[in-house]
Amino acid sequence: MDRTGWIVIIACSLGLFVWFDSQKKSFEKQQRDLAEQNQQNFQPVNGEGAEKEKETKEIQKDPVIDPVKEQSVTLSNGVADWTFTNIGGGIKTIVLKEHDLESPEVVEKEGLEKASSIVLNEHSKFPIGTLSKGIGQFEGLNYTVVSQTKDRIEFRAESPEQLQVTKTFNLAADEDPGGGYIVKMDLDLKYVGQSGNYSLNDYFLYAGSASQLQDGNSRDLYTGFEYLRGSKDKFRSLNYLKKDKDDIKGRELHEKLQWVGVSNQFFSTNLYVRESYESSVWASRFEVGSDQYASEGAIGLPKNIILNPGESKSWEYEIYTGPKSYQILKGLDGRRKEIVGFDRMPIFGFFAEPFAVLLSWLMNVLYSGLGNFGWAIISITVIMRLLIWPITAKGTRAMKKMSKLAPMMQEIREKHSNNPQKMQQETMKLYRDYGVNPVGGCLPLLLQMPIFIGYFAMLRSAVELRHEEWLGWVNDLSLPDSVGVIPGIGIPINILPLLMGITMMFQMRMTPQAAGPNQKQMQIIMSIMPIFITVICYNFASALALYWTAGNIFSIGQTWISQKFGKEVELKKVDRSMKRPPLGPPGAKTKSPKPQQVRTGGGGRRKKR
């Protein structure tokens, strides 16, 4: 390709990147303007109207709770602190001791004494485990602490309708499945009235809220509500919740409902039913700051439950409040490993999960030996490339043969330019004569794509990579490795994606180009591909760019070794004139058939007279 072509390609790619960035900023500005406009539209014209509006909002969203002093109790183990409250009788917040909100770089830059811990459910007004009757409709019960130990607490309250509610929370041990992030909850409902009965059809159990992380790629795409019915999980992002769908309003019944939860990119709060039942779910989103939102949701109690006087019903739940770590969640019942979301990839999700599971396991195994996730990722890349080296070498030889067939293919194209069918037949005959597989050069790429997709699926929620450093400028493998911004434009300068694009260009220049009727178009596509991939992956996690860059460097080295020490590919016709080998075991001598005797006439010997 000439210089003008390269200039046009680079200019178009930069224009595409700037357009993407401007569209993103424009969308964010529209969201802010829309929020301000809505606020102005609902602004009352006088103070009396303001008071009425405030009262209306409180009636719609907040329960009517008698003035009571809040009592908070904190239970702790080695990994988290759970703060319980008597208002609502549930878990108010969870502090994760082993997961920091700020990275070490931010702590140093802002002069903090230490990083603050991740806090779950911090933006919700209601504790996890609160009874609800729909979106924004929460019970107005104040609970009494019946009993308490260092790892157990029991709440009890009675509604005006004479429904007695008892909730017992027990912390799981650190050595139990769940890594210490499990709280077991027993819910007991008893109708203590003297007559009539009480229906539980309208009750839900609140699963808490999840908000976007302040730092990271935790955008609307990764924050939302999720639930599992049967064997398949459903995830509803913040954008989906914004559209006010009917299937998350508590109207649709789900068979074998096993769990519901809310999560962001790296952390989750999950409410699991010990024995699945048929019920419904509700979910919504609410604003927690400027352009920041959180999701919340609940699971319904089993349908068609009616309590007679003195009758009670009990259910057992497990509440997981921790990181979306596959290595932890895979040991839990109820397919809670689906919380990680390896198979939530669009189009490719059905085969991304097995590769993501393998790569997650291998990455953690290598980390335990190397002590650094960056080197673990590079090691995985080398291992994978070594495993497919024989196929890659075979594909390279096929492409070299194809390139040597170029003159003969050109001759066929010129000879049969007016007969495409004949041209195709002659081309395929040429491939057969010289033993060339036209798709042989594509095999390495086809093998690498599932691995790459699995890598991408894994890295989207790999909590292990948060705040993990590699080399000097790479201080968080879960984020882009920005070292600054371009003055006047505001585009971040990410080193690893740029290295990825440059090494990809070198790799493609060293790779032999296959001949064919669309050779020129393929060359253009292969020239544009590195720039296009760089633009698409520019703001992805630096771990992904590190994996791809290491793979490109390995391929460059592999190609150089093949060219330096490999045998020259010879182009010769396949000898198809060989006779079939004789039947029987190898080396066995075959007996020549006995010549048949030809009878010329007469019979046996004549008798003498």
Side-chain angles (χ1 to χ4, degrees):
M1 184 178 294
D2 57 7
R3 183 184 302 174
T4 304
W6 277 108
I7 293 174
V8 171
I9 291 171
I10 294 173
C12 291
S13 300
L14 288 176
L16 181 65
F17 180 81
V18 173
W19 183 80
F20 277 144
D21 189 68
S22 64
Q23 288 294 105
K24 175 186 171 185
K25 291 180 179 178
S26 176
F27 176 76
E28 292 175 350
K29 184 177 182 301
Q30 291 176 5
Q31 292 291 98
R32 290 194 298 270
D33 294 343
L34 182 62
E36 293 175 0
Q37 182 179 358
N38 291 338
Q39 186 175 5
Q40 292 175 359
N41 290 340
F42 287 99
Q43 187 72 25
V45 294
N46 53 53
E48 183 180 356
E51 290 298 325
K52 288 183 179 179
E53 182 194 10
K54 183 178 179 182
E55 291 176 3
T56 302
K57 285 186 176 179
E58 290 177 351
I59 292 173
Q60 290 176 346
K61 298 297 293 183
D62 295 341
V64 179
I65 301 176
D66 295 333
V68 65
K69 183 178 180 181
E70 182 179 13
Q71 297 178 2
S72 298
V73 176
T74 300
L75 305 183
S76 303
N77 62 10
V79 297
D81 296 332
W82 289 268
T83 298
F84 295 83
T85 174
N86 64 314
I87 301 179
I91 307 172
K92 185 175 182 179
T93 57
I94 306 97
V95 177
L96 304 182
K97 300 178 182 179
E98 299 179 341
H99 296 276
D100 296 335
L101 179 62
E102 300 89 3
S103 65
E105 182 187 26
V106 172
V107 171
E108 182 179 357
K109 183 179 179 180
E110 297 185 0
L112 303 176
E113 292 185 7
K114 63 177 183 177
S116 54
S117 299
I118 291 288
V119 180
L120 304 183
N121 200 48
E122 64 175 331
H123 295 297
S124 178
K125 299 178 182 179
F126 310 100
I128 301 167
T130 303
L131 289 176
S132 162
K133 288 193 175 182
I135 297 177
Q137 302 176 24
F138 293 84
E139 65 170 357
L141 300 182
N142 297 316
Y143 287 77
T144 301
V145 178
V146 178
S147 62
Q148 175 191 345
T149 64
K150 66 175 183 177
D151 55 6
R152 180 183 178 277
I153 188 169
E154 182 178 351
F155 292 101
R156 183 171 295 159
E158 186 175 320
S159 72
E161 298 82 11
Q162 296 182 300
L163 178 68
Q164 185 185 83
V165 184
T166 304
K167 303 175 187 176
T168 306
F169 297 89
N170 289 276
L171 300 189
D174 293 359
E175 61 271 12
D176 291 345
Y181 295 103
I182 294 286
V183 176
K184 297 179 181 179
M185 172 185 170
D186 296 332
L187 174 65
D188 183 84
L189 301 180
K190 183 178 181 180
Y191 180 49
V192 294
Q194 300 297 321
S195 62
N197 52 43
Y198 197 90
S199 173
L200 303 178
N201 278 347
D202 297 332
Y203 278 101
F204 293 83
L205 199 60
Y206 188 57
S209 66
S211 58
Q212 301 161 276
L213 294 174
Q214 294 179 3
D215 61 339
N217 294 334
S218 183
R219 308 183 192 279
D220 290 0
L221 181 65
Y222 303 117
T223 304
F225 174 77
E226 55 201 353
Y227 60 95
L228 182 80
R229 58 178 182 183
S231 60
K232 189 66 177 177
D233 75 307
K234 298 285 185 181
F235 179 76
R236 305 307 190 191
S237 67
L238 285 175
N239 283 337
Y240 188 93
L241 298 177
K242 179 183 178 182
K243 297 174 183 177
D244 201 21
K245 297 287 185 178
D246 286 340
D247 66 334
I248 51 175
K249 286 186 175 180
R251 300 173 180 172
E252 181 179 348
L253 285 179
H254 303 287
E255 295 182 358
K256 297 182 179 179
L257 191 59
Q258 297 192 48
W259 50 255
V260 303
V262 286
S263 64
N264 55 35
Q265 187 175 7
F266 297 115
F267 302 95
S268 177
T269 300
N270 182 273
L271 189 60
Y272 165 67
V273 185
R274 293 290 296 176
E275 296 183 6
S276 62
Y277 50 67
E278 181 186 49
S279 189
S280 56
V281 300
W282 70 253
S284 66
R285 79 174 199 165
F286 59 92
E287 190 172 1
V288 296
S290 177
D291 296 329
Q292 292 288 325
Y293 295 90
S295 63
E296 62 178 354
I299 182 173
L301 297 183
K303 296 301 177 182
N304 302 319
I305 301 294
I306 298 178
L307 299 180
N308 295 315
E311 186 179 5
S312 64
K313 289 287 183 181
S314 300
W315 296 273
E316 296 181 0
Y317 299 90
E318 284 186 1
I319 305 172
Y320 177 84
T321 54
K324 291 164 60 174
S325 170
Y326 185 84
Q327 306 308 317
I328 294 176
L329 294 170
K330 69 180 181 180
L332 300 180
D333 297 332
R335 296 182 61 85
R336 276 176 281 181
K337 62 182 180 180
E338 302 293 341
I339 298 172
V340 183
F342 285 156
D343 63 342
R344 291 176 187 163
M345 290 280 295
I347 303 175
F348 303 106
F350 69 96
F351 68 84
E353 183 175 15
F355 288 97
V357 170
L358 172 63
L359 293 168
S360 175
W361 171 80
L362 186 57
M363 182 179 70
N364 282 275
V365 169
L366 292 172
Y367 172 77
S368 63
L370 298 172
N372 183 277
F373 278 106
W375 294 116
I377 290 171
I378 293 174
S379 300
I380 291 176
T381 307
V382 173
I383 292 172
M384 294 298 175
R385 293 304 177 95
L386 287 174
L387 289 175
I388 65 173
W389 185 313
I391 300 175
T392 304
K394 188 175 180 179
T396 303
R397 288 195 296 270
M399 295 183 70
K400 286 182 178 180
K401 283 187 177 182
M402 289 281 290
S403 63
K404 290 191 174 185
L405 287 177
M408 286 179 274
M409 295 179 68
Q410 180 64 27
E411 184 179 345
I412 291 174
R413 286 196 296 271
E414 293 175 357
K415 184 177 180 180
H416 303 287
S417 58
N418 297 326
N419 191 345
Q421 185 176 1
K422 184 67 174 177
M423 183 193 302
Q424 184 69 18
Q425 291 174 353
E426 291 296 322
T427 301
M428 296 306 297
K429 182 176 181 300
L430 186 67
Y431 290 153
R432 287 195 302 269
D433 290 344
Y434 288 93
V436 175
N437 184 358
V439 298
C442 301
L443 285 177
L445 181 61
L446 293 175
L447 285 174
Q448 292 176 44
M449 283 307 295
I451 299 174
F452 171 74
I453 293 172
Y455 237 123
F456 179 75
M458 178 195 72
L459 295 177
R460 290 193 310 167
S461 55
V463 67
E464 299 95 332
L465 300 181
R466 286 191 77 244
H467 303 160
E468 287 293 328
E469 300 179 351
W470 177 50
L471 293 180
W473 81 96
V474 183
N475 48 52
D476 193 334
L477 287 167
S478 69
L479 297 177
D481 60 322
S482 301
V483 295
V485 295
I486 300 176
I489 303 178
I491 298 176
I493 303 173
N494 301 335
I495 303 299
L496 280 176
L498 295 176
L499 290 177
M500 178 186 72
I502 293 171
T503 54
M504 195 174 181
M505 288 182 183
F506 275 105
Q507 176 194 357
M508 290 187 172
R509 288 178 67 89
M510 295 180 66
T511 302
Q513 300 296 320
N518 301 319
Q519 182 179 5
K520 187 171 292 186
Q521 290 87 340
M522 287 300 298
Q523 288 177 348
I524 295 175
I525 292 174
M526 298 300 281
S527 300
I528 296 176
M529 189 64 69
I531 301 174
F532 180 75
I533 295 295
T534 301
V535 171
I536 294 299
C537 300
Y538 195 73
N539 287 316
F540 285 177
S542 56
L544 188 67
L546 176 61
Y547 158 75
W548 205 325
T549 304
N552 292 340
I553 295 174
F554 186 92
S555 296
I556 292 171
Q558 180 184 5
T559 304
W560 180 82
I561 291 173
S562 299
Q563 292 176 350
K564 185 76 173 177
F565 303 104
K567 295 181 180 180
E568 183 65 25
V569 174
E570 297 182 1
L571 189 64
K572 59 181 180 180
K573 287 189 174 183
V574 178
D575 186 6
R576 302 184 186 277
S577 62
M578 296 176 62
K579 295 182 179 179
R580 287 185 178 181
L583 298 175
K589 294 182 179 180
T590 57
K591 296 181 179 180
S592 57
K594 221 174 184 181
Q596 294 183 353
Q597 295 181 355
V598 180
R599 300 181 66 177
T600 57
R605 185 179 297 177
R606 289 185 178 180
K607 294 182 180 179
K608 290 183 180 180
R609 290 183 179 177

